[in-house]
Amino acid sequence: MAPLWRNTSVGQQRAEFAAFYESARDDCLRAVMASVGNRQVAEDAVAEAFARAWASWSTVARHPSPRAWVVRTALNTHISWWRRRRREVPEPAAPDTGRDDSGDHLPDPRVMAALRSLPTRQREVFVLRVFLDLDSDTTARTLGIAAGTVTTHLARATRALRAHLTPVTEQEQKL
Amino acid sequence: MIDNDDDLYARVRTEFDQVHLQNSLDDITGRGRGLRRRRHLATALGVVVLAAGVTAGLTVTRPAEPEHGLTQVAAWTVDSRQEDTVVFAIRQLADADELSAALKKAGVPALVEFIKVPVEQKVAGCENGQDGMPELYDVMPHSNTPAKPDENTYAVRRDLMPAGSVLHFIIFEMTNRIDGTVQRSVHMSLQDGDPQPCRLYPVDFTFPE
């Protein structure tokens, strides 16, 4: 009977992971894409992070926020990618514009530019709070910083983004 | 005009509405299985090497049990009195090797480096930077807890460090050429095995455009 029990358990795990993947895949990609600024790089990193999540699903499933785990791992994968290439400071990959090969519409380049203008930590805080809807404590634990620092980073990021995006909106209204 | 924060967040979120991850579930789980296989293979190889060592009559030493206590010198403190967490505080960038040894004694294998970056250095960082393990974010959930103005405190969950992993902890100290102020930045990574000591970039190195 042991093999049957094991198969059932694996089947349950796969079903759980499938549900998680279905509900989290787009949000995680959007969060990572907003952080790294490039669709292809983000997609590679997020797919790798989900694969790692499945490889360690019994552990990741118990994480306070598996989606945050995936995003954090994807961002770390991205960092590993540029470290392997001996680049100490991550330069944003070439920005995307318009439409990509998958046929998806890409975000407004002005929004992408505004996000890229944020310091890395502010951008990471922003994407976790806005795209994953994490609270301050979970964001803090995910990034390894204090909860108060999360609040400060989010406030600064919000202020900077508003400054970048508001003038454009106002110009559009005048036209 | 974007009147409030929620409107701003909604504006940014909306821009990404059409972005979807294309990979199928089978693709992801297939890659995950590959990762598991590689992990099991590495474990199996380790067992084979260990068995070979025992057969050859080698003495296999178990890692020493971590000590619980407080080590304090002028430059830093290592506090391992808690069960699973080791807290270290740095006041001066001195005695890095002794700090590495104290952390190891406390159950945290670590390579600590304090590096003064030359004023003329254009890029502060390690030319030979290595991939880090993502478990760092569990091992050091809070990167820095400011305790006192002249002291930075770091907590390490030694119980969550994967077997064979070593913490690489570097503080770079840079003097601003223009105003003479001293700035520090911390690099932390978790390495699978011994980290390579940091080798700074050449002084005039800059990143290619």
Side-chain angles (χ1 to χ4, degrees):
Chain A
M1 294 302 289
L4 178 62
W5 175 84
R6 186 174 182 279
N7 286 342
T8 306
S9 172
V10 170
Q12 280 176 348
Q13 280 203 346
R14 187 181 161 87
E16 276 178 23
F17 181 77
F20 165 67
Y21 181 64
E22 197 51 45
S23 67
R25 58 196 283 182
D26 291 341
D27 283 344
C28 289
L29 175 62
R30 291 164 189 166
V32 175
M33 183 177 166
S35 189
V36 304
N38 179 284
R39 164 70 186 262
Q40 190 56 51
V41 170
E43 198 163 307
D44 289 346
V46 171
E48 174 69 16
F50 271 114
R52 290 188 191 188
W54 172 236
S56 306
W57 183 240
S58 55
T59 305
V60 176
R62 293 198 304 270
H63 192 276
S65 173
R67 297 195 310 163
W69 187 96
V70 168
V71 169
R72 182 64 260 178
T73 302
L75 293 174
N76 196 58
T77 302
H78 172 62
I79 290 166
S80 299
W81 179 87
W82 62 257
R83 277 193 187 141
R84 272 201 295 277
R85 284 156 182 75
R86 298 190 172 190
R87 303 175 75 180
E88 197 62 26
V89 177
E91 293 177 12
D96 290 319
T97 52
R99 187 186 283 266
D100 68 1
D101 294 340
S102 67
D104 287 349
H105 284 282
L106 291 171
D108 183 341
R110 291 170 299 188
V111 172
M112 294 301 281
L115 287 165
R116 276 202 310 279
S117 72
L118 300 177
T120 304
R121 194 56 105 190
Q122 279 184 30
R123 198 162 56 232
E124 288 178 352
V125 166
F126 184 85
V127 301
L128 289 175
R129 293 295 308 272
V130 171
F131 286 95
L132 300 193
D133 205 21
L134 298 187
D135 59 29
S136 289
D137 285 342
T138 310
T139 304
R141 288 185 59 188
T142 302
L143 296 177
I145 57 180
T149 310
V150 168
T151 308
T152 306
H153 280 321
L154 181 64
R156 286 180 182 160
T158 303
R159 198 160 53 235
L161 288 175
R162 181 177 286 117
H164 269 90
L165 297 175
T166 297
V168 173
T169 310
E170 286 176 345
Q171 283 168 17
E172 283 172 347
Q173 285 172 345
K174 285 174 190 168
L175 291 172
Chain B
M1 180 72 183
I2 301 174
D3 290 324
N4 59 50
D5 293 353
D6 288 340
D7 288 346
L8 176 71
Y9 301 157
R11 160 89 198 274
V12 175
R13 263 197 302 264
T14 304
E15 289 295 332
F16 288 81
D17 276 353
Q18 297 302 315
V19 173
H20 302 285
L21 187 61
Q22 307 291 334
N23 301 66
S24 68
L25 178 65
D26 286 343
D27 173 37
I28 297 295
T29 52
R31 287 167 72 163
R33 274 194 300 277
L35 287 169
R36 279 182 186 164
R37 269 197 299 273
R38 285 199 293 278
R39 199 186 294 159
H40 291 157
L41 182 63
T43 308
L45 282 173
V47 170
V48 169
V49 169
L50 182 66
V54 172
T55 309
L58 300 177
T59 305
V60 180
T61 54
R62 293 174 56 191
E65 284 294 313
E67 290 183 10
H68 295 271
L70 183 69
T71 307
Q72 190 155 13
V73 299
W76 44 257
T77 302
V78 174
D79 184 350
S80 58
R81 288 173 296 185
Q82 294 180 55
E83 183 60 31
D84 295 327
T85 302
V86 175
V87 177
F88 63 102
I90 296 177
R91 293 174 286 278
Q92 301 160 24
L93 304 190
D95 305 327
D97 290 345
E98 289 81 356
L99 177 54
S100 299
L103 285 168
K104 187 177 179 186
K105 217 165 132 185
V108 178
L111 172 63
V112 178
E113 298 185 272
F114 299 142
I115 299 177
K116 276 196 190 252
V117 180
V119 171
E120 62 275 18
Q121 183 93 22
K122 292 193 168 71
V123 174
C126 308
E127 189 181 31
N128 55 335
Q130 299 168 270
D131 285 355
M133 301 167 74
E135 288 86 348
L136 175 72
Y137 304 102
D138 298 321
V139 171
M140 296 188 74
H142 302 287
S143 56
N144 173 26
T145 308
K148 299 173 188 169
D150 57 347
E151 174 178 290
N152 282 316
T153 304
Y154 305 88
V156 185
R157 286 288 303 271
R158 62 181 162 198
D159 59 319
L160 297 181
M161 287 183 75
S165 64
V166 179
L167 176 68
H168 196 186
F169 185 91
I170 311 170
I171 297 185
F172 296 103
E173 187 171 84
M174 299 149 281
T175 303
N176 188 307
R177 245 188 294 194
I178 297 165
D179 59 16
T181 54
V182 174
Q183 296 166 328
R184 289 175 179 172
S185 67
V186 183
H187 165 98
M188 287 172 279
S189 67
L190 196 64
Q191 299 296 328
D192 186 6
D194 288 331
Q196 294 173 20
C198 178
R199 188 172 67 241
L200 279 176
Y201 283 107
V203 168
D204 56 354
F205 174 83
T206 55
F207 293 111
E209 290 298 322

